Amino acid sequence: MYMDAAAMCCLGFGFLYVFSKYYVWGGVGLNFFICGFGFLWALPLKAIVHAIFEGEFHKLQINMTELTTNCHITAAVLISFGAFYGFTSPSQLLLVCLLEPFFMLINEHVVVKLLHVADAGGSLIVHMFGAFFGIAINIALNIKPKKLPEEHRTTSYMSDFGAMIGSIVLWVFWPSFNGALLYNDQTLQGRVLLNTYLAICASCAAAFATSSLAHRGRFEMIEIQNATLAGGVIIGMICPFQIDPWVSVLIGGIGGVGSSFGYAIYIFLERLGITDSAAVQMLHGLPGLFGGIFAAFAVLANNDNYLLFLQ
């Protein structure tokens, strides 16, 4: 499971960010740097954050669980990177890599430990946090859409082809990402894989259908590259629950349709002067938010699922 999560970070996000023909090498290269630095920096940060809340330092035992959580932490930074992709210098990116994992771990501790929110797939603590943190960085740095020349927004056949490879890598490994930390319970992990598999298949089919209907028989590549994956995000919180297969399919389908139409949010943000280079709100922000809403309804419908997962 660690290898699958690492492959998602290094290969999936790396190729997904080559959609702009002017930033192909930056998308792959800087993504690689974030992975290498993030995987390492997350280890001491965990000890620091633990000491902040517990009042004393403890040695961190490095095992497969810690290595896998490093991938989740780094994934949040990679998601934020997609929001300001093409606007920041390497030194600014290094500062983000130093600070964001710290805030992400504090947010995770508050959400999971203090509020007792179950979020196995990271819909809130990874995807939504990373997407909104990236927008916050754009606002803080006063990055405006008008600062990006129009020709730099264009894609090419090969850049879209590379981004589709990234989407496919993410699509294949997403069930493993959602269930990576549940390897001690094969039954629970199997349920996570099944629910995520059904949801992400549904979002893939729904995204293609929605894009075709919205564009009169043609596919919009930015929608296909993002909305096909929305099912993996939106099912993240609810994937460990005992739900019927049709529920997973329905949630994934809603994610695919909603993410496709979420492109309107991308345009709306630009009109407000807010930049979102890789449209991370389409894939991570909105699906993560709706994933939390669906999980709340699932808990209200059957609280036993939530209690069983916490045990």
Side-chain angles (χ1 to χ4, degrees):
M1 289 297 184
Y2 161 75
M3 293 299 296
D4 293 350
M8 284 185 64
C9 293
C10 299
L11 298 177
F13 282 104
F15 280 104
L16 185 64
Y17 289 158
V18 304
F19 62 91
S20 174
K21 64 181 181 181
Y22 283 90
Y23 298 104
V24 171
W25 296 115
V28 176
L30 293 178
N31 183 91
F32 191 22
F33 162 74
I34 293 172
C35 289
F37 185 86
F39 290 165
L40 185 63
W41 177 232
L43 291 172
L45 272 183
K46 292 176 187 176
I48 294 173
V49 172
H50 183 270
I52 291 175
F53 287 99
E54 300 298 329
E56 58 180 344
F57 277 98
H58 293 283
K59 288 185 177 180
L60 180 69
Q61 183 179 6
I62 301 177
N63 49 37
M64 292 305 297
T65 299
E66 299 300 332
L67 295 181
T68 305
T69 56
N70 289 353
C71 294
H72 286 203
I73 296 168
T74 305
V77 182
L78 293 173
I79 293 167
S80 299
F81 173 57
F84 53 80
Y85 168 61
F87 287 97
T88 54
S89 66
S91 59
Q92 290 173 324
L93 183 59
L94 176 61
L95 183 61
V96 172
C97 292
L98 286 169
L99 296 179
E100 183 175 356
F102 175 73
F103 292 114
M104 188 267 186
L105 284 169
I106 291 180
N107 177 71
E108 180 186 29
H109 185 91
V110 172
V111 172
V112 177
K113 301 295 184 181
L114 301 183
L115 300 180
H116 302 289
V117 175
D119 191 7
S123 294
L124 296 181
I125 61 178
V126 175
H127 299 286
M128 195 173 78
F129 175 85
F132 290 162
F133 195 91
I135 294 297
I137 291 174
N138 284 336
I139 296 174
L141 296 178
N142 195 30
I143 298 174
K144 301 295 184 181
K146 61 183 180 181
K147 294 183 179 180
L148 182 66
E150 191 62 33
E151 61 271 16
H152 285 206
R153 299 173 180 269
T154 58
T155 62
S156 66
Y157 179 86
M158 290 306 298
S159 65
D160 273 332
F161 176 72
M164 278 304 301
I165 293 177
S167 296
I168 293 172
V169 170
L170 290 169
W171 191 87
V172 169
F173 288 123
W174 213 293
S176 298
F177 185 85
N178 282 355
L181 297 176
L182 303 174
Y183 57 86
N184 289 328
D185 190 334
Q186 293 186 353
T187 301
L188 185 59
Q189 189 179 61
R191 188 186 308 146
V192 169
L193 297 180
L194 176 61
N195 288 332
T196 306
Y197 172 83
L198 294 174
I200 204 167
C201 286
S203 68
C204 179
F208 273 96
T210 304
S211 184
S212 177
L213 291 173
H215 301 285
R216 299 180 180 180
R218 302 184 65 180
F219 299 127
E220 182 68 32
M221 289 308 297
I222 189 174
E223 296 174 5
I224 299 303
Q225 292 160 2
N226 290 277
T228 51
L229 305 170
V233 178
I234 200 170
I235 199 71
M237 286 191 72
I238 199 176
C239 59
F241 294 175
Q242 290 180 337
I243 55 178
D244 292 330
W246 67 267
V247 177
S248 299
V249 173
L250 177 62
I251 292 175
I254 292 174
V257 174
S259 184
S260 294
F261 284 116
Y263 188 69
I265 301 296
Y266 173 76
I267 299 174
F268 176 72
L269 289 175
E270 290 214 335
R271 290 179 177 175
L272 292 178
I274 300 174
T275 306
D276 186 1
S277 301
V280 295
Q281 302 305 319
M282 289 172 56
L283 173 56
H284 303 281
L286 289 178
L289 175 62
F290 282 104
I293 295 174
F294 284 131
F297 281 114
V299 171
L300 290 174
N302 185 1
N303 194 45
D304 291 339
N305 278 323
Y306 174 73
L307 297 176
L308 179 63
F309 178 69
L310 288 182
Q311 291 178 355

